[in-house]
Amino acid sequence: AQSVTQPDIHITVSEGASLELRCNYSYGATPYLFWYVQSPGQGLQLLLKYFSGDTLVQGIKGFEAEFKRSQSSFNLRKPSVHWSDAAEYFCAVGNDYKLSFGAGTTVTVRA
Amino acid sequence: DGGITQSPKYLFRKEGQNVTLSCEQNLNHDAMYWYRQDPGQGLRLIYYSQIVNDFQKGDIAEGYSVSREKKESFPLTVTSAQKNPTAFYLCASSASRGGGNQPQHFGDGTRLSIL
């Protein structure tokens, strides 16, 4: 069975600093990997996805993620955080039938 | 603009009552999904439908029912058998079958509470 672990429940970062959110997955085959962002009381918005090919993928809002098969990881990064990046972030792994989500990481941005 | 519309945004249920959450999409997507979100637990799949008139149970289907009579619509009924229905419910869709191998588009959710 597939599963996703996001080790950090909550991260606080200063505006302008870099951000890295960790994601580890468990899946037997080549995974489909996603990062979503959720603002309070809203639905989820897709930031980026990895299906195959280049292991460094670029997404919207200046985010990128790197797929490392040897570490079963798909960490999300942003070089310089803006106050509007405060939200909850979800990593997800998919097979042909469904997505499985991590528990999420809440990001707080301090001025 | 194309998207997914969930209604109502807030819903209250009395004991022993069934309530229905609406989900409509105008993206012309084949597949639709219902998730339940509880604090600290991420999203859990309740039901999904890959084509009209067909749907499958997800990981936590007990106490819920769905129908898919039209491509655009995938309503979720929370029955009185669901003993802990308080949660945030999210509807999603994807362009074609294969729920995990393509992006899903989400509505803005319905928050259900017990009176």
Side-chain angles (χ1 to χ4, degrees):
Chain A
Q2 62 198 44
S3 66
V4 179
T5 302
Q6 293 182 246
D8 303 305
I9 296 173
H10 190 200
I11 286 180
T12 298
V13 61
S14 297
E15 191 169 15
S18 63
L19 174 68
E20 181 167 15
L21 303 182
R22 296 184 290 164
C23 172
N24 293 100
Y25 67 90
S26 172
Y27 186 60
T30 300
Y32 304 102
L33 295 163
F34 306 83
W35 274 99
Y36 287 87
V37 60
Q38 184 181 35
S39 297
Q42 306 262 319
L44 276 67
Q45 180 183 23
L46 179 70
L47 285 175
L48 47 78
K49 62 184 184 291
Y50 173 78
F51 288 174
S52 65
D54 192 349
T55 56
L56 185 64
V57 293
Q58 303 296 321
I60 62 170
K61 302 177 187 260
F63 285 93
E64 66 178 24
E66 186 171 12
F67 171 59
K68 293 186 177 180
R69 184 186 300 276
S70 61
Q71 298 177 19
S72 298
S73 69
F74 188 56
N75 294 349
L76 181 72
R77 298 193 292 257
K78 185 168 184 177
S80 177
V81 168
H82 187 261
W83 64 266
S84 60
D85 294 321
E88 190 162 19
Y89 293 79
F90 293 94
C91 181
V93 61
N95 60 19
D96 287 340
Y97 303 102
K98 69 170 192 175
L99 282 179
S100 295
F101 288 85
T105 298
T106 299
V107 173
T108 298
V109 180
R110 60 183 173 215
Chain B
D1 283 341
I4 299 178
T5 300
Q6 290 188 242
S7 62
K9 192 169 180 64
Y10 299 95
L11 187 58
F12 298 90
R13 195 191 88 170
K14 296 180 181 178
E15 292 289 338
Q17 185 181 45
N18 294 353
V19 292
T20 298
L21 286 60
S22 171
C23 177
E24 303 277 333
Q25 55 101 355
N26 61 4
L27 299 166
N28 200 33
H29 284 176
D30 283 327
M32 297 185 74
Y33 314 85
W34 274 105
Y35 293 92
R36 171 179 171 140
Q37 185 177 19
D38 296 282
Q41 295 194 44
L43 279 68
R44 293 181 289 168
L45 182 65
I46 304 173
Y47 269 98
Y48 62 100
S49 167
Q50 296 188 329
I51 196 169
V52 174
N53 292 323
D54 184 59
F55 48 83
Q56 306 295 329
K57 291 182 180 180
D59 300 320
I60 56 164
E62 185 174 350
Y64 300 97
S65 66
V66 294
S67 62
R68 186 87 187 277
E69 297 176 1
K70 298 187 298 182
K71 187 175 184 177
E72 313 84 67
S73 179
F74 191 40
L76 173 74
T77 296
V78 184
T79 74
S80 57
Q82 173 49 246
K83 297 308 179 187
N84 183 23
T86 297
F88 191 52
Y89 291 87
L90 287 162
C91 179
S93 69
S94 61
S96 58
R97 306 181 193 187
N101 61 17
Q102 56 193 280
Q104 293 183 14
H105 299 257
F106 285 81
D108 283 339
T110 293
R111 187 166 299 280
L112 176 62
S113 303
I114 295 295
L115 280 179

